[in-house]
Amino acid sequence: MRFLLVEDNVDLGEAIVGRLSLDGHAVDHAKTLAEAEEWLAVADYDLMLLDVMLPDGDGREFLRKTRTAERLPVIVLTARSQVSDRVDTLDLGADDYLTKPFDFGELEARCRAVLRRRGTPMPAVIPLGAAFFDPSSGILTQDGASHSLRNRELRLLEVFARNQGQILSKSQLLDRLFPQDAEVSENAIEVYVGRLRRRLADAGVQIETVRGMGYRMSAP
């Protein structure tokens, strides 16, 4: 998944980026509302984590404007803990609200919950041929044996599993796996696709190379 984090506290922002990156998510970090607007203009995101008090304005007003323009899920991060603050923020269109300081495990759980609610309904465990894939735990089960997937291999399989039958270009896959400022070539996608092909070979799942266009997963 690709996240946009809008947080001016550098230490907290880097900690959040590091934690979400460990799960294989691509995270772009904006430290001001102006930077956030620039990121939103050039990239598509699955979720935005939005601080309220920012150097160049109020995140709540930014949330209001964002809500009128698109349906991007938003979790607000703030030190404000009054019930009235939570109610006002949710009424503005936030999908969830997390009060600082927070536990990173809770942040990850809330991200998963919001994405489940706002995304296309799918089973928690996705059948892939003779295998079963659980994106939340990163477990691929086949012939009674479970294999733990990590980081970008996990997220790449999730992208393919949720878009079976669709052609995904290398640039699209790079966007889902890496932040914008990462210096990564399309060869990295070839490496991860090769690993997934080997893992899924006995499950009857194919990741087909569509020449000049990208890749397409198909499973019986």
Side-chain angles (χ1 to χ4, degrees), residues 12-122:
L12 177 59
E14 290 179 351
I16 293 173
V17 170
R19 181 62 178 258
L20 295 175
S21 297
L22 285 175
D23 285 338
H25 298 295
V27 186
D28 292 320
H29 181 194
K31 301 175 184 64
T32 64
L33 295 176
E35 287 182 8
E37 290 180 340
E38 293 176 359
W39 285 121
L40 288 171
V42 298
D44 293 324
Y45 293 96
D46 299 292
L47 177 68
M48 177 164 63
L49 303 173
L50 175 65
D51 187 18
V52 169
M53 301 301 295
L54 292 154
D56 56 344
D58 190 331
R60 292 170 299 180
E61 182 57 32
F62 184 72
L63 172 64
R64 190 199 308 274
K65 292 192 300 183
T66 303
R67 268 289 161 265
T68 61
E70 54 187 299
R71 293 177 54 82
L72 175 65
V74 177
I75 297 177
V76 168
L77 310 176
T78 179
R80 297 178 176 179
S81 58
Q82 296 295 320
V83 173
S84 58
D85 291 325
R86 295 199 298 270
V87 171
D88 290 344
T89 302
L90 292 170
D91 283 343
L92 284 174
D95 294 270
D96 204 348
Y97 187 107
L98 196 55
T99 303
K100 300 176 182 178
F102 49 79
D103 180 83
F104 284 162
E106 181 180 3
L107 173 62
E108 292 171 322
R110 288 178 180 266
C111 289
R112 292 193 297 268
V114 167
L115 291 169
R116 284 196 302 268
R117 292 199 301 268
R118 295 296 298 270
T120 303
M122 291 193 71

Side-chain angles (χ1 to χ4, degrees), residues 9 24 44 75 80 84 95 109 111 118 126 128 137 145 160 181 210 213:
N9 185 308
D44 293 324
I75 297 177
R80 297 178 176 179
S84 58
D95 294 270
C111 289
R118 295 296 298 270
I126 304 172
L128 295 173
S137 65
F160 277 128
D181 55 359
V210 182
M213 299 181 68

Side-chain angles (χ1 to χ4, degrees), residues 154-163 168 173 176-177:
L154 160 63
R155 295 307 163 197
L156 180 59
L157 179 55
E158 182 177 9
V159 172
F160 277 128
R162 296 187 182 279
N163 296 276
L168 301 172
L173 295 174
R176 310 320 292 170
L177 298 183

